[in-house]
Amino acid sequence: NKTHFSPKNQYQMCTLHLQYFLWLNLPSIDSLFEASRLLLAKTKFLTVGESKSARCDDLESLKKRNCAVTKIENPRGSISINENKPVTNRKKDSADKLNPGQITQIQPQKLTLTLRTGEPQTFDLKFKRAEDYPIDLYYLMDLSFSMKDDLENVKNLGTDLMAEMQKITSDFKIGFGSFVEKTVMPYISTTPARLINPCTGNQNCTSPFSYKNVLKLTDKGDEFNRLVSQQQISGNLDSPEGGFDAIMQVAVCGEHIGWRDVTRLLVFSTDAGFHFAGDGKLGGIVLPNDGKCHLENNMYTMSHYYDYPSIAHLVQKLSDNNIQTIFAVTEEFQPVYQELKNLIPKSAVGTLSSNSSNVIKLIIDAYNSLSSEVILENTKLPEGVSITYKSICKNGVEATGENGRKCSNISIGDEVSFKISIDSQKCPSHSKNETIKIRPLGFTEEVEIVLNFICDCQCAKEGEPESEKCHEGNGTFECGACKCNEGRIGRLCECSKDEVRTEDLDANCRKDNGTDICSNNGDCVCGTCECKKRENPAEIYSGKYCECDNFNCDRSNNKLCGGHGRCECRKCICDANYTGSACDCSLDTSTCLAKNGQICNGRGTCECGICKCTDAKFQGPTCEICPTCPGVCVEHKDCVQCRAFGAGEKKDTCQRDCDYFKMFKVKDRDGLPQPTDQSFPLTHCKQRDENDCWFYYTYAIRNQTKEVFVVEQLECPAGPDIIPIVAGVVAGIVLIGLALLLIWKLLMIIHDRREFAKFEKEKMNAKWDTGENPIYKSAVTTVVNPKYEGK
């Protein structure tokens, strides 16, 4: 076929025909051509219009496209454990005393993960708190004047704390440091007298300082007491202190402090707030803190030069150096340091009494709280790599997400585990292997994980440079395709970028002499369309002009081809038993079968697996609903009445009009069968005759036969009971009479009370004196003798 094959390909094809004809001894030339066609289909994997990248796909897709399994490269990720020392099982009173480096609390210690893009690798990590694990504790104290009474109680802290910590570990070291404030205005007074003694009155105070390392970590409690007893209170002007400068130096000056690779505790004791990054501008200090050690003779010498560190800077340094912080602060500043605790992982806050008398109990409680929780953290991940955690804590409690990083309420000797999954979404651009580390916060032990990335196939290493398969050696033939040399393009590198005219070649990429090149779904490369790849690798453009695709077919239930077919060139190729433009029409009638074995209960047809009822009064998946609705009951009432009871309007024409169903009589309503296969209870047909009697029946169609079941006895209403009616009337009259009497009596009482109240009111309004009766006349008459002169 000269329209499809170049002369070179024609020669190859004919050679294949001859070889296969001689080898297979096929009986006809038709069989010969069919064999050669199958051979070429297998050797030529890419279809018309597909780009070279289509050779990379998932395993199932490649198999469906007839790619030979022996030709598929499918490298898989793997996990290799390089170091896997078991966690230490050791008792405090055991004879063998192990060095900190000999104690293992996390397992495994080193792994190598080979990652393939999109294929996560999961491994188990085990953590167990070792008994009698060494502890370093550094006590950092605010020595401003308000802490004077606290210093007295701290002077004996060394031996007392040693005694308490011996109950937890036999290897304990303690150190001491103090801080006040930056030695510049306005934090302290810089007058000569105040620089010598910053306290007022007769108080004898030492010169202000920023931070001083008084005692390196030691196991001698009496040495702690001796040096702390020599300390003197100092003073400053403002309320906040320069504690952040001191914490930074304690964290980064490991050699001066004497930190070991053990549990590191920093007790920060103060009764005031703190300055942080930016506050140094008040004293003219603008350089950010550099996070480096600047101790000379155990004194911080750069407080006047570098600003206070930020909280984030402190968090980083404390985490890098595995230091767990205990803030021992007075109750007044509890809210401030609680907020600070939320920003610093593996930190605790305790309420310090006004004179620090409870400091030992505070340290013990805070240590128990910190050590009972393990939180995993990882170093910065390479670009495109993600990590997820799942914790399996005590009593089998599981958590995922951020909570999957930690376990709480862990006692000494408890063992917990984590499932850690690492996934890569793309290959790194600069290196093929990376290293990350995972460790529990506050512990020095860590898991080192080396990541190797599968970015190339083995076939790429076996490429054939200047291969004859790539148009006279203009490319390297690797992984079944040509990788063109510089300046060459085309699937077989047959074109030169400098020698071809684009407009001439573009004409070969326009379908039906249209204006769209490759249907706007591809690029015209050397006169041939190479279709674009989509973000979803399962979605493919294809065809000579990229006019076909496998994702723009009709959908049903939001599924391509209804989920019952495949999309080829924008048309659905349906699976067996399915038809329709979206393969949404099922040819299976099992979904239309009712429980009585009939399709759609004999009341409809099965279309695409769904019943279409022939009568609108029937509904439901199998046309089972509403067989006893009022319309059906009324429709068959007369015929049921005349055949069952010989009555009704059709009793004279019953034999002629009502022989379309079979009738069965039952004794009571419980004997009436369900008319259909519906699961919910139905009400039977209930009709009344001319004598006000009720009769009950059901109507159903079974195996194309109409059936009626009737209750053989009518349900007629009973006559009225005269005696209760008469008794009720008499009782009603009596009750009404009593009610009327009561109402009359009530009205009379109200009237009398009103009259009496009226009388009382008139009596009170009388104008005369109630002491003498105005109508009373005495019986005695007195006459005075006019001649009487009193003689």
Side-chain angles (χ1 to χ4, degrees), residues 759-770:
F759 169 75
E760 287 292 328
K761 183 176 180 181
E762 289 178 352
K763 182 179 177 181
M764 294 297 294
N765 293 336
K767 299 296 184 179
W768 39 270
D769 185 6
T770 57

Side-chain angles (χ1 to χ4, degrees), residues 102-120:
Q102 297 174 307
I103 299 174
T104 302
Q105 297 184 111
I106 192 167
Q107 180 187 4
Q109 295 79 40
K110 187 173 182 179
L111 304 94
T112 299
L113 269 61
T114 302
L115 297 179
R116 178 179 175 179
T117 300
E119 182 186 41

Side-chain angles (χ1 to χ4, degrees), residues 301-419:
T301 58
M302 302 296 286
S303 67
H304 64 286
Y305 190 76
Y306 289 117
D307 193 6
Y308 302 97
S310 66
I311 295 176
H313 201 179
L314 272 185
V315 170
Q316 177 193 347
K317 293 301 180 181
L318 290 172
S319 177
D320 290 346
N321 292 280
N322 303 309
I323 296 174
Q324 305 176 61
T325 311
I326 301 172
F327 295 104
V329 297
T330 54
E331 187 172 1
E332 178 185 359
F333 287 92
Q334 278 283 313
V336 175
Y337 283 90
Q338 282 290 350
E339 292 297 325
L340 183 60
K341 168 190 171 294
N342 295 334
L343 300 174
I344 301 179
K346 293 292 282 185
S347 61
V349 177
T351 303
L352 190 68
S353 62
S354 58
N355 58 359
S356 297
S357 57
N358 67 330
V359 67
I360 293 180
K361 183 179 183 304
L362 184 153
I363 292 173
I364 299 296
D365 291 345
Y367 170 74
N368 290 332
S369 174
L370 290 172
S371 60
S372 66
E373 183 177 55
V374 57
I375 303 175
L376 297 184
E377 71 164 4
N378 53 268
T379 55
K380 185 178 179 181
L381 298 173
E383 185 181 1
V385 175
S386 61
I387 186 169
T388 57
Y389 295 86
K390 178 182 178 182
S391 60
I392 305 170
C393 306
K394 288 179 65 175
N395 303 320
V397 177
E398 298 183 359
T400 56
E402 281 303 308
N403 290 329
R405 292 175 173 264
K406 61 184 178 181
C407 282
S408 303
N409 300 320
I410 302 174
S411 304
I412 292 176
D414 286 344
E415 183 175 293
V416 296
S417 61
F418 298 85
K419 285 190 176 297

Side-chain angles (χ1 to χ4, degrees), residues 626-638:
C626 200
T628 57
C629 59
V632 174
C633 293
V634 172
E635 179 183 352
H636 304 291
K637 170 188 173 183
D638 293 335

